[in-house]
């Protein structure tokens, strides 16, 4: 249903390679409208050259995150009415990542840090071995449960002031994934992982400001995971494992 | 810029400083309330291995803790990295050790043991 009396003033970041600026568009306000709906309306009705990313539209793929009124959001699940201020919206590419064009950022630095954090499963068995039994009430599994619903949207990475201040910092998402693997009893890469998250850009740089936990659309708490990594690495140091 | 070892050193020195800070506050309040003069304070501290160890370990912990803390601040706020960052951290450590160590030495063991 169109409310013909109401329009949104939407400022969208336009960047063709170094000439970044906001352009304002008038977008009709609709019932149950999401930020992704607004961006799509502009692209479909005003300027087809507007670039942005989305895929699933249901909060699973993690590809549509943008800065909305200065805060990182998953745009397909963010209702306009939740974030609009006096019928105005400001939509920009994710913070802390290089812009490719308009609202599209280069995610390479984000995923390179997952690799640097050794946030990749290292199997301890082959396909010929029997499956490792892990029960739902296993204490390590319960801890891992708190960290495994990450959709790689980079909202936490954009929210993190330490990433902004220290480009080497691995960031909340990569460290959160590392923590879930530290609690995976099937994983064979624990020593290398703890070493990887203890280097110059590692978990010890986190100031526990908890912006990642505040903005995570899946309500994960990467700060808690990072504090777990701090404890695990400290124990490993005190055991003279390194 | 904070590695595990630097993180550990900063936490360890924080643990050391906590009781020493409380002790220092108690000493200050005692000295002020009793109206001790400089001469009376020095009479108690000069030649005292106990006060030398108390404030000596305090200075050591402060120097390490502050050098690491300032290292993080100037790296994050001013973008200092690499050799310059290490040089700054060591310079802060040496400066605080020198200033604090000299003060502790002068009010405790400079005149010899008693």
């Amino acid at each position: 249903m169109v409310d013909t009396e109401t329009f949104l003033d939407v400022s969208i970041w336009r960047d063709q390679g170094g000439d970044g600026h906001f352009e304002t568009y008038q977008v009709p306000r609709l019932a149950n409208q999401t930020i992704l709906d607004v961006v799509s309306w502009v692209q479909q009705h005003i300027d087809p050259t507007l670039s942005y990313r989305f895929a699933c539209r249901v909060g699973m793929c993690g590809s549509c995150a943008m800065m909305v009124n200065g805060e990182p959001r998953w745009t397909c699940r963010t209702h306009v009415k939740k974030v609009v201020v006096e019928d105005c919206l400001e939509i920009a590419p994710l913070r802390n990542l290089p812009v490719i064009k308009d609202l599209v950022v280069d995610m390479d630095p984000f995923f390179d840090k997952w690799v640097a954090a050794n946030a990749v499963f290292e199997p301890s068995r082959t396909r010929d071995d029997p499956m490792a039994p892990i029960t739902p009430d296993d204490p390590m599994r319960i801890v891992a449960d708190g960290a495994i619903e990450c959709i790689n949207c980079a909202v936490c990475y954009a929210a993190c002031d330490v990433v902004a201040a220290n480009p080497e910092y691995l960031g909340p998402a990569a460290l959160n994934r590392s923590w879930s693997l530290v609690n995976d009893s099937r994983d064979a890469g624990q020593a290398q992982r703890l070493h990887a998250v203890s280097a110059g850009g590692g978990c010890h740089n986190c100031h526990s400001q908890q912006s990642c936990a505040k903005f995570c659309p899946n309500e994960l708490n990467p700060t808690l995971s990072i504090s777990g990594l701090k404890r695990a690495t400290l124990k490993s140091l005190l055991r003279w494992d390194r | 810029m904070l590695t595990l070892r630097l993180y550990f050193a900063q936490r360890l020195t924080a643990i050391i400083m906590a009781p020493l800070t409380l002790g220092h506050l108690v000493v200050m309040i005692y000295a002020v309330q009793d109206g001790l003069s400089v001469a009376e304070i020095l009479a108690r501290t000069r030649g005292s291995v106990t006060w030398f160890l108390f404030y000596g370990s305090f200075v050591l912990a402060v120097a390490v803790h502050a050098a690491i803390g300032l290292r993080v601040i100037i790296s994050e706020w001013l973008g200092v990295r690499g050799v310059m960052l290490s040089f700054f951290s060591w310079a802060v450590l040496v400066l605080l050790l020198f200033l604090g160590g000299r003060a502790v030495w002068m009010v405790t063991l400079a005149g010899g043991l008693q």
Side-chain angles (χ1 to χ4, degrees):
Chain A
M1 184 187 78
V2 179
D3 178 353
T4 50
E5 291 190 348
T6 312
F7 282 84
L8 295 163
D9 283 325
V10 184
S11 296
I12 297 183
W13 185 257
R14 303 306 306 267
D15 192 337
Q16 305 280 350
D19 62 339
H21 61 282
F22 281 103
E23 281 186 21
T24 305
Y25 305 92
Q26 293 264 307
V27 179
R29 189 156 184 184
L30 308 174
N32 298 320
Q33 190 177 23
T34 66
I35 299 298
L36 184 60
D37 292 336
V38 169
V39 175
S40 296
W41 196 93
V42 171
Q43 201 245 10
Q44 288 163 12
H45 294 90
I46 303 178
D47 187 351
T49 68
L50 174 64
S51 299
Y52 62 106
R53 280 201 190 102
F54 74 96
C56 74
R57 302 170 65 105
V58 290
M60 290 184 71
C61 72
S63 56
C64 69
M66 301 168 199
M67 303 299 291
V68 182
N69 287 348
E71 296 182 342
R73 303 273 183 189
W74 55 351
T75 57
C76 71
R77 298 292 300 275
T78 302
H79 279 257
V80 168
K81 64 186 173 207
K82 184 180 172 187
V83 291
V84 70
V85 179
E86 294 174 354
D87 289 332
C88 292
L89 287 172
E90 184 189 273
I91 303 173
L94 275 181
R95 179 177 173 238
N96 294 336
L97 288 163
V99 177
I100 296 174
K101 181 175 179 292
D102 300 337
L103 300 172
V104 178
V105 293
D106 181 0
M107 298 287 279
D108 275 358
F110 176 71
F111 287 112
D112 286 347
K113 288 177 178 179
W114 283 55
V115 177
N118 237 326
V120 178
F121 180 66
E122 300 279 349
S124 55
R125 300 181 180 209
T126 70
R127 67 183 64 197
D128 301 319
D129 294 320
M131 281 183 65
I134 298 178
T135 58
D137 58 352
D138 181 284
M140 286 173 74
R141 169 70 210 196
I142 291 170
V143 174
D145 265 348
I148 58 176
E149 294 295 338
C150 175
I151 57 171
N152 316 345
C153 62
V155 160
C156 59
Y157 192 82
C160 180
D161 286 343
V162 181
V163 173
N166 179 5
E168 286 175 40
Y169 180 50
L170 295 171
L175 293 169
N176 180 70
R177 172 65 180 151
S178 271
W179 176 239
S180 72
L181 290 168
V182 165
N183 289 287
D184 190 333
S185 56
R186 304 165 305 163
D187 190 283
Q190 300 300 358
Q192 302 95 299
R193 182 166 299 114
L194 292 181
H195 184 73
V197 300
S198 299
C203 62
H204 306 97
N205 292 280
C206 172
H207 294 315
S208 304
Q209 290 170 317
Q210 304 200 50
S211 295
C212 52
K214 180 180 177 188
F215 290 103
C216 175
N218 273 347
E219 299 182 351
L220 304 185
N221 188 346
T223 309
L224 192 66
S225 299
I226 293 168
S227 67
L229 285 176
K230 287 175 180 172
R231 282 195 307 277
T233 50
L234 208 51
K235 279 181 190 166
S236 138
L237 180 71
L238 296 174
R239 285 197 306 263
W240 299 97
D241 285 354
R242 56 187 67 231
Chain B
M1 91 290 311
L2 258 197
T3 61
L4 170 59
R5 286 171 199 279
L6 288 173
Y7 172 86
F8 179 58
Q10 203 180 26
R11 266 53 186 179
L12 186 66
T13 50
I15 293 168
I16 293 169
M17 281 193 299
L20 294 177
T21 305
L22 290 175
H24 178 60
L25 288 172
V26 169
V27 167
M28 281 202 306
I29 291 165
Y30 172 78
V32 169
Q33 288 199 335
D34 268 17
L36 289 180
S37 66
V38 172
E40 286 169 328
I41 291 170
L42 287 176
R44 287 163 167 78
T45 60
R46 279 197 169 140
S48 166
V49 174
T50 306
W51 286 121
F52 174 77
L53 290 176
F54 182 90
Y55 279 108
S57 54
F58 206 162
V59 165
L60 191 61
V62 165
V64 172
H65 193 85
I68 297 170
L70 289 174
R71 173 189 173 87
V72 172
I73 291 169
I74 73 145
S75 173
E76 290 190 359
W77 286 53
L78 304 179
V80 180
R81 303 271 190 276
V83 178
M84 279 301 292
L85 186 60
S86 295
F87 174 78
F88 174 84
S89 309
W90 282 105
V92 170
L93 177 77
V94 170
L95 181 69
L96 290 178
L97 273 181
F98 172 72
L99 294 175
R102 181 164 150 265
V104 171
W105 179 254
M106 293 307 288
V107 298
T108 56
L109 301 184
L113 289 170
Q114 283 183 354

